[in-house]
Amino acid sequence: MGTRWELSALVEERLRSASPGERRVFAAGVAERLMGRHEALPEDERAPFTLSLRPLLNSVWEGVLGESTAYAAVNRGVAEYMLGEYCHNDGQDGPDDADESTAAATLFAAHTYLFGCHDFAVWTSGRALEAVDEHLECLAESEEDLPVDPDEAAASELRRQLGDLDLIAEFSEELRFTLMGLPADATLRLRKELRTALAGE
């Protein structure tokens, strides 16, 4: 089945060989799963900045599935972050909400959409692993025995990501043209066949 490190290397290799369109959908799917989990947390555990990124993630989805007008909305959302208080070089002296795993994954997914490059997609994958580690750390603080092995939990997330890449590859020809825009019926079909599957647990 592979160790965490072997599976992580395999995900990175697959993303390197994937088309920009495939990378865009992959990053959106990973960020969506993290956002769904964050939105399901008790209200006092949710980060306001993270929740504020939901419209940006929705625009990313529109774009990666072929709605060309979404580019401006994603570009604007990234620019607002870059010009806002959460984008800083103050280290621990500045606001830290943007470094929460879901927020960071969403921002990386937006960059993946805008540029299609390998690195942003890999970083999105990595933030999902960090989210797994953070969740287990929280469990460890409240329970004597963890219900799952940390390495197995990380490996499970990576296997899920590899499964996502397998599914996305089935649509590779169509996803080549999403940045330029697809017919509305194609976008609607991709929303049903890809977004729903990738967002599910």
Side-chain angles (χ1 to χ4, degrees):
M1 298 293 283
T3 67
R4 170 181 182 151
W5 312 113
E6 291 168 339
L7 291 167
S8 183
L10 184 55
V11 168
E12 184 167 354
E13 180 184 333
R14 290 280 302 275
L15 286 170
R16 191 177 302 281
S17 62
S19 70
E22 290 173 87
R23 292 179 195 137
R24 290 180 174 107
V25 174
F26 169 83
V30 171
E32 180 65 40
R33 282 189 285 114
L34 292 180
M35 184 66 78
R37 292 174 198 160
H38 194 86
E39 290 169 335
L41 290 172
E43 187 174 354
D44 62 346
E45 295 180 27
R46 298 178 212 154
F49 177 73
T50 298
L51 296 177
S52 78
L53 294 175
R54 166 50 82 182
L56 174 62
L57 183 54
N58 287 342
S59 294
V60 169
W61 270 117
E62 291 175 11
V64 302
L65 298 180
E67 176 51 69
S68 62
T69 59
Y71 189 91
V74 175
N75 204 19
R76 184 167 50 252
V78 170
E80 288 172 356
Y81 160 69
M82 297 291 284
L83 294 171
E85 65 176 319
Y86 290 104
C87 184
H88 60 80
N89 63 351
D90 297 329
Q92 295 183 355
D93 294 329
D96 63 359
D97 278 7
D99 195 42
E100 186 275 325
S101 292
T102 301
T106 300
L107 291 166
F108 285 145
H111 281 80
T112 305
Y113 168 65
L114 293 175
F115 305 110
C117 63
H118 163 265
D119 287 345
F120 287 122
V122 170
W123 295 337
T124 308
S125 165
R127 291 316 294 241
L129 289 179
E130 288 185 30
V132 169
D133 291 338
E134 290 163 2
H135 177 65
L136 292 179
E137 285 174 12
C138 288
L139 287 179
E141 291 175 3
S142 59
E143 302 179 26
E144 292 185 8
D145 296 316
L146 283 176
V148 292
D149 175 71
D151 286 335
E152 176 52 33
S156 178
E157 167 62 30
L158 290 163
R159 285 192 291 270
R160 168 62 194 262
Q161 292 182 18
L162 289 169
D164 289 350
L165 286 166
D166 287 339
L167 173 63
I168 293 165
E170 296 176 17
F171 299 84
S172 60
E173 285 304 312
E174 208 164 8
L175 294 175
R176 288 174 173 270
F177 306 104
T178 51
L179 200 61
M180 295 178 285
L182 294 175
D185 59 336
T187 296
L188 182 61
R189 179 174 47 78
L190 288 173
R191 188 179 299 135
K192 292 178 180 177
E193 295 179 357
L194 276 176
R195 180 170 181 171
T196 301
L198 295 174
E201 291 296 336

